[in-house]
């Protein structure tokens, strides 16, 4: 009789409240964001955006700016003290010969090479950075992840890149993902932490957006597409969804989080496409704040050639 006499509107309210009460705090948090994403619709929106806008950003001024977004990276199994030092010295020489060009944002290596980079890097404005936390799979103990981070910072790391634990995330174990990011960020302190989502393994736009939101709330200073170690790395679609998440998070919290494209960004044209997405979705303030990065090993020399007209060998 109670249910029969209860207004239909109140039944809906009671049902919604019950459903919310049974949700995890993470699922409740997700309700603040638009997660009703269709992958085909995202793809169509990105194609339309790039078709309409990318040409206007393919300019000498933008190409020159893109130099400042470069995180020159070497993350191979045959890296050595000698090869890393050679890369740093080559970069120092390029910067010395072209003082009018903006410096790269960072040089990124495995942790064991941070000491070499921090001691040999001579370019003001370029930071020594490294991957931490069991890169690239993140499949190790949290104690190892935090210790590796602490040792890297002790050796001079000015920025750290960690990988989201994709396995737990896909199982819905959001608490593990958040706890790990929070613990590593606590070790970083004021050192910026970039969280790599490995978007190619997340598969769907909705998963990419959830991972973005989790990472930002857990303390990520930048969110990054990929490690470059999986079959599918950075894509414009993933970048578009991540930038939408960053914008919605900013509107909700007032905190600006950066975006980094990494994995397969190898030509100036590729770089312009990602610039277009960041510029159009997030706006000029993200560009001015230096909150757009590109991690790459091959783009740097090609972009230098495009800007200067000179031929540059790969670093």
């Amino acid at each position: 009789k109670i249910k029969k006499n209860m207004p239909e509107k109140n039944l809906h309210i009671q049902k919604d409240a019950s459903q919310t009460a049974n949700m995890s705090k993470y699922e409740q948090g997700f309700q603040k964001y638009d997660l009703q994403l269709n992958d085909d619709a995202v793809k169509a929106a990105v194609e339309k955006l790039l078709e309409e806008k990318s040409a206007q950003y393919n300019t000498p001024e933008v190409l020159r700016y893109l130099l400042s977004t470069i995180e020159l990276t070497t993350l191979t199994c045959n890296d050595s003290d000698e090869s890393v030092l050679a890369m740093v010295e080559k970069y120092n020489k390029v910067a010395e010969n072209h003082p009018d060009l903006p410096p790269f944002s960072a040089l990124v290596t495995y942790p064991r090479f941070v000491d070499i980079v921090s001691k040999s890097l001579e370019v003001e404005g370029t930071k020594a950075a490294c991957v931490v936390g069991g890169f690239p799979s993140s499949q190790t103990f949290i104690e190892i992840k935090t210790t590796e981070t602490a040792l890297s910072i002790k050796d001079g790391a000015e920025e750290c890149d960690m990988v989201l634990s994709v396995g737990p995330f896909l199982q819905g174990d959001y608490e593990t993902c958040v706890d790990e990011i929070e613990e590593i960020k606590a070790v970083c302190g004021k050192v910026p932490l970039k969280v790599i989502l490995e978007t190619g393994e997340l598969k769907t736009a909705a998963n990419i957006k959830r991972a973005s939101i989790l990472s930002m709330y857990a303390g990520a200073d930048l969110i990054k597409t990929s490690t470059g170690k999986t079959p599918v790395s950075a894509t414009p679609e993933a970048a578009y969804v991540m930038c939408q998440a960053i914008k919605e998070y900013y509107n909700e919290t007032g905190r600006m989080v950066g975006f980094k494209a990494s994995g397969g960004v190898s030509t100036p044209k590729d770089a312009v496409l990602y610039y277009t997405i960041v510029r159009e979705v997030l706006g000029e303030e993200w560009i001015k704040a230096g909150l757009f990065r590109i991690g790459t090993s091959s783009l740097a020399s090609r972009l230098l050639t495009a800007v200067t007209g000179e031929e540059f060998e790969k670093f």
Side-chain angles (χ1 to χ4, degrees):
K1 286 183 179 180
I2 294 174
K3 286 188 176 180
K4 185 175 180 181
N5 294 328
M6 186 179 290
E8 188 68 22
K9 181 179 179 183
N10 288 343
L11 280 173
H12 286 305
I13 292 173
Q14 197 173 59
K15 183 178 179 182
D16 290 344
S18 176
Q19 288 176 338
T20 300
N22 290 329
M23 289 180 180
S24 72
K25 62 182 178 181
Y26 305 105
E27 291 291 353
Q28 290 180 42
F30 289 145
Q31 289 190 312
K32 299 177 182 179
Y33 297 87
D34 177 16
L35 291 169
Q36 303 304 309
L37 303 179
N38 177 279
D39 292 343
D40 290 335
V42 169
K43 183 177 178 62
V46 173
E47 289 176 350
K48 183 175 186 293
L49 173 65
L50 295 177
E51 182 180 351
E52 293 179 353
K53 301 292 186 179
S54 62
Q56 76 185 60
Y57 296 120
N58 192 8
T59 65
E61 292 77 19
V62 169
L63 292 176
R64 181 183 174 86
Y65 162 78
L66 285 168
L67 288 171
S68 70
T69 72
I70 295 293
E71 294 192 9
L72 181 60
T73 304
T74 182
L75 296 169
T76 69
C77 64
N78 58 353
D79 287 342
S80 65
D81 292 355
E82 291 76 15
S83 68
V84 170
L85 180 59
M87 181 187 76
V88 178
E89 290 179 339
K90 185 179 289 186
Y91 172 60
N92 286 340
K93 192 68 174 176
V94 168
E96 181 183 350
N97 292 339
H98 298 273
D100 56 315
L101 295 179
F104 296 165
S105 60
L107 302 189
V108 185
T109 65
Y110 281 112
R112 64 180 292 256
F113 302 114
V114 171
D115 184 60
I116 292 172
V117 176
S118 64
K119 289 179 178 176
S120 58
L121 180 60
E122 299 172 354
V123 184
E124 187 176 352
T126 302
K127 296 181 178 180
C130 73
V131 294
V132 298
F135 180 95
S137 68
S138 194
Q139 299 284 21
T140 190
F141 305 104
I142 184 59
E143 293 84 358
I144 300 296
K145 295 179 180 183
T146 53
T147 300
E148 185 178 55
T149 304
L151 290 172
S152 299
I153 293 171
K154 179 177 178 293
D155 275 354
E158 299 172 277
E159 295 182 352
C160 293
D161 294 39
M162 66 166 285
V163 184
L164 174 77
S165 286
V166 175
F169 175 85
L170 292 175
Q171 294 298 312
D173 183 4
Y174 302 135
E175 187 163 8
T176 290
C177 299
V178 169
D179 285 350
E180 288 189 345
I181 295 170
E182 287 180 340
E183 287 194 46
I184 293 174
K185 179 56 186 173
V187 174
C188 285
K190 294 182 179 180
V191 171
L193 176 65
K194 288 162 270 182
V195 177
I196 307 166
L197 306 185
E198 202 65 287
T199 54
E201 299 300 301
L202 297 180
K203 307 296 185 185
T204 69
N207 275 345
I208 292 168
K209 194 162 187 179
R210 282 190 184 90
S212 299
I213 293 164
L214 276 180
S215 299
M216 290 187 288
Y217 273 106
D221 297 294
L222 291 91
I223 52 176
K224 172 180 170 182
T225 56
S226 321
T227 62
K229 306 295 185 183
T230 55
V232 178
S233 292
T235 66
E237 291 78 17
Y240 182 79
V241 172
M242 290 168 69
C243 287
Q244 285 186 320
I246 290 170
K247 185 174 184 178
E248 290 179 32
Y249 175 81
Y250 173 73
N251 290 338
E252 183 70 30
T253 68
R255 188 168 79 95
M256 295 176 75
V257 173
F259 166 77
K260 178 178 174 181
S262 185
V265 188
S266 59
T267 68
K269 181 180 178 181
D270 294 335
V272 170
L273 295 183
Y274 287 102
Y275 176 94
T276 302
I277 292 169
V278 173
R279 179 68 177 76
E280 289 296 317
V281 176
L282 292 174
E284 189 177 4
E285 54 268 42
W286 259 258
I287 301 297
K288 289 181 176 178
L291 291 174
F292 170 40
R293 302 283 189 85
I294 300 175
T296 181
S297 59
S298 56
L299 172 62
S301 57
R302 293 169 183 165
L303 193 55
L304 282 166
T305 296
V307 170
T308 66
E310 301 177 25
E311 285 296 325
F312 287 84
E313 295 180 358
K314 184 178 177 180
F315 287 92

